Amino acid sequence: MYTAALSIGYLSRKIVRYFKLDRKYKILRFKNEWHYLLKGEIFDFPDAEFDLMTDSVEDIEFVFVDVIIELGGSTILYDGVLVDYSLSKDGGIESITLKNVQRRALTDDCEIKKDGSKKSNATKYYPIDGHLLLFKYEEIKNLNFTYYKLLRSQQGLYPKLVE
């Protein structure tokens, strides 16, 4: 009986995911909807306010994440490519893991020149050595997700926003 219940549950889950029924019908979705946001599957929700016009969710090859953290009284912006995430049982997210991470202080956004005009310092990023950087969700103030596909050109592969 246990084997039959386990098999039916496993097969049901595979069928729901294969036919994307969880994206169409809210009742079939995972309790924790962070998965759909982190993978870009939220674009397929019938009630989503933003649809992909020319691409599909399956075209998404990587997700670029901006993370804002307050650290020692300053606000730091980290960005990198999403590698992994850990979901919590209560419907939240425990952590996210990024690679190719760089950081900058948000106070470095603009500098006021002597003539009163603003000079953008948005390129003042500092690369972070290491393979992976893990962020605990409880320390994160804001997250921004950007979904990309890879296109091939004569120069090689280049990223392009999904549309």
Side-chain angles (χ1 to χ4, degrees), residues 92-103:
I93 186 167
E94 294 278 332
S95 64
I96 62 169
T97 306
L98 305 180
K99 70 177 184 176
N100 300 333
V101 181
Q102 55 185 6
R103 68 167 174 81

Side-chain angles (χ1 to χ4, degrees), residues 70-84:
E70 286 190 19
L71 190 64
S74 359
T75 305
I76 309 293
L77 173 66
Y78 292 88
D79 60 34
V81 177
L82 180 67
V83 174
D84 195 16

Side-chain angles (χ1 to χ4, degrees), residues 103-122:
R103 68 167 174 81
R104 71 178 170 88
L106 281 183
T107 55
D108 290 342
D109 272 357
C110 287
E111 173 182 318
I112 306 296
K113 295 182 187 179
K114 290 180 183 178
D115 65 358
S117 63
K118 290 182 181 181
K119 174 186 171 191
S120 174
N121 288 332

